[in-house]
Structures are given as C-alpha cells and as structure tokens.
Amino acid sequence: MSEGEHTGREAAQQAQPGGALDYMPAQLAVAQAQWQARFADPSREWRRLFAEMLGTFLLVVAGAGAAVVNAVSHGSVGRGAAVAAPGLAVMCVILFMGAVSGAHLNPVVSIGFAARGDFPWRRVPGYILVQLLGATLAVLFLDAMFGRVGMLGATVPAAGIDDGQAVVMEMVLTVGLVSTILGTASRSQNVGPLSAVAVGGYIVLAGLWSGPITGASMNPARSFGPALVLGDFSHYWLYAVGPLAGALVAVAIAFILRGRGGDYHSAALAQGTAGQEPPSAAR
C-alpha cells in the first residue's frame, strides 16, 4: 500500500463515527469528569487547605524572616538576598506542592482565579482563611525565635511616600504578578514547571525596583501576619486594597488577551490536579 493510500485510509477512519477524532474527545471528557469529581471530593479538601497554610507559612518565613534575620545579624542579609528570598520560596512551593492546592499563597490570587472562572468561589473563603493563618504562624515563629526585631518584617510605606502613592504602587505591582500567574496557567502558554520560575522571578523583580517604596508585598496575607502580631493595622488597608484592585485589573487584562477562562488546563493548575492524570494523557 502506498503512503498516500495509507494516509487516506487513516483520515477516512478518523472521520467515521467512532473513529479516532470521536474517540479522543470522549476520552478527554471522561478524564476531565474524573478530575472534577476528585476535586469535588470533600475528603481531599483538608489536604488543599493544609498545603495553602504550609505554603504561605514558608513564603512569609522567608519574606518577613529576611528583615528579622537582617536585624539580628546586624545587616548581614543584603537587600538583594532579602528580595530574592520570597521569590525563591514561592518558586519552590509551586514546584513541590502546586499540584495539591494550586499554590495560591495569596488571597488576591485565589480571588483572581475565581474571577477568571478557573477556581470555584465557594472555596475562596477557606483558602483565604488558611493563608492568613499560615502568615500569622510564620510571624509568631519569628517572634518566638528572635523577638520583636526588624518590625517582624512588616510592610510599610517608606518615608516620604503617602498612602495614595503606596496603594497605587501595590496595585500596579500586583497587576504584573497576577497577570504572570494567570498567563502561565493559561493553556495558550503551556509552560509547565517554568511557571514557577516566572512567578518567582517576577516577585524578585518587583522587590528589586520597588521594595524600598512599599516593601513590594502584593499579598494581603504577607502583610497581615506582622500587622496582627504587632497589633498595628494603621497601614494594612494599603496592602489589602492595592493588591485586590491589581488582581481585578489583571483578570480584565487576561480577558482582553485570551478571552474567557475556565478551560481545563487553567482550572487544573488553579485548583491542583491532586494526582489526577491530565486528560491530554488519557488514551
């Protein structure tokens, strides 16, 4: 049989009802339904919540801990190391447990994924609660270890920066962060583990150029922990309103760039595959 005849027969077979073109979408639908059922299983929810708490704990220990250890060691932690620490922590957390919970580690990321249609709204309150808890536990750990030095890593505007400037800066920084997260989670990008490098890299970049202005928090949980333990919420609203506004702007940008969200690939990355084989691998 010639190559042309063989190719023609394959095309004809795929075009027939029950052929390969019909079979693969059916396999895709079955695998997607299995994954959705696995995600909806309430017995798995505690793992996702624990993962979010642990991941946020590690992020804040690194981010706030850099300031604390710098104070304890009399300036041994340089600014470059201080801004790199949270970015590297996020990168590691995404790689080692992103498949469990999606590794949001940030309330506005959870809200952004939900607004994009990649994450169920009913799960958002639980995620936010454990993110705030993880951040608080991290600061309590630093306080117990080293005492109240380095303002326990609190994020506050720099001298000469008013609240309006600070909230706009946090908003703009968060637009970039959430755009990076939504973009690398998109099926159109399909960057795989490189998404962790992109997100961690953006956090380092933001800290390098804007850290001296606001602390480059971009994360209400990151700022909540020190504020709660110190009992000082005088500037906290900046680090809640700015990142939330930035996340919503990023969702609007994602819609302009890629249309509606909610596709399987984005939802799986946002929600965590929890060991479920992706439908593209089903045969």
Side-chain angles (χ1 to χ4, degrees):
M1 181 184 297
S2 68
E3 181 179 353
E5 290 172 336
H6 180 71
T7 303
R9 176 170 293 186
E10 283 187 342
Q13 181 181 7
Q14 291 175 349
Q16 293 174 356
L21 293 181
D22 289 337
Y23 176 72
M24 288 309 297
Q27 289 290 86
L28 181 69
V30 169
Q32 183 169 344
Q34 291 173 343
W35 169 78
Q36 289 172 340
R38 183 181 291 263
F39 183 78
D41 183 356
S43 68
R44 298 177 181 273
E45 181 66 4
W46 71 268
R47 288 190 176 91
R48 296 185 173 90
L49 295 177
F50 177 78
E52 283 298 306
M53 182 183 71
L54 174 62
T56 310
F57 175 90
L58 295 175
L59 163 61
V60 177
V61 160
V68 172
V69 173
N70 187 60
V72 170
S73 63
H74 307 291
S76 295
V77 179
R79 180 169 169 267
V83 300
L88 293 173
V90 167
M91 181 179 69
C92 294
V93 169
I94 292 173
L95 288 172
F96 91 78
M97 67 167 215
V100 177
S101 68
H104 299 187
L105 318 181
N106 185 335
V108 301
V109 171
S110 299
I111 291 171
F113 273 134
R116 180 76 177 133
D118 298 333
F119 190 78
W121 279 107
R122 70 182 184 276
R123 307 250 178 182
V124 171
Y127 266 47
I128 292 178
L129 180 62
V130 296
Q131 288 158 0
L132 296 177
L133 177 60
T136 302
L137 291 175
V139 178
L140 288 172
F141 167 76
L142 293 171
D143 188 19
M145 286 286 292
F146 305 109
R148 299 199 172 183
V149 296
M151 296 177 60
L152 290 179
T155 51
V156 296
I161 302 299
D162 62 39
D163 287 353
Q165 291 174 304
V167 77
V168 171
M169 177 66 78
E170 284 293 314
M171 181 187 73
V172 171
L173 293 174
T174 310
V175 169
L177 173 63
V178 177
S179 292
T180 301
I181 292 170
L182 296 178
T184 55
S186 169
R187 178 176 55 187
S188 62
Q189 300 301 115
N190 194 26
V191 296
L194 284 177
S195 62
V197 178
V199 175
Y202 181 85
I203 292 171
V204 174
L205 172 65
L208 285 172
W209 78 269
S210 65
I213 303 300
T214 64
S217 173
M218 303 173 282
N219 185 338
R222 158 70 180 89
S223 297
F224 177 83
L228 179 64
V229 175
L230 292 173
D232 182 3
F233 284 87
S234 57
H235 295 289
Y236 179 71
W237 74 271
L238 307 173
Y239 299 97
V241 173
L244 177 59
L248 296 178
V249 171
V251 171
I253 291 173
F255 178 81
I256 293 170
L257 293 177
R258 292 180 293 276
R260 293 184 180 275
D263 61 88
Y264 169 80
H265 185 275
S266 298
L269 290 177
Q271 300 178 24
T273 57
Q276 175 68 38
E277 182 184 18
S280 60
R283 291 293 184 269

